Amino acid sequence: MADSSKAFELQKRRGLVVWVYSLKQLKNLRRYGFVHYVSNKMKYVILYINEEDMQKTIDQLHRLHFVRDVDISYRPDIDMSFGEKVGTEAAFQGSENNEENPTE
């Protein structure tokens, strides 16, 4: 039986863009995280890793001879709550002023 005291915990993940010289070693990248997307034309791989292991994994990826560069996704750092900014009176005040005084 499953232990009810153990709760399901979401792992914080972070996306990495791994720029490579060649895609022949794509299978080697799978040991570092989940391969989400591979661009054959531009030669990059979107890789998802656990955020707690991020710096260690980036250092390991930089040591690989077929890796050109590694970029970090900043999406988790961006505030995605747009509820206050969309649909408020402040958003429509600018458009009403432009309609009253059109510049030709």
Side-chain angles (χ1 to χ4, degrees), residues 1-8:
M1 283 171 91
D3 189 11
S4 60
S5 64
K6 291 183 180 179
F8 178 74

Side-chain angles (χ1 to χ4, degrees), residues 54-72:
M54 183 174 64
Q55 194 57 47
K56 182 180 80 169
T57 306
I58 291 173
D59 293 339
Q60 289 174 350
L61 288 171
H62 275 295
R63 286 190 209 119
L64 299 174
H65 66 87
F66 59 90
V67 173
R68 183 182 312 167
D69 195 14
V70 179
D71 294 331
I72 303 169

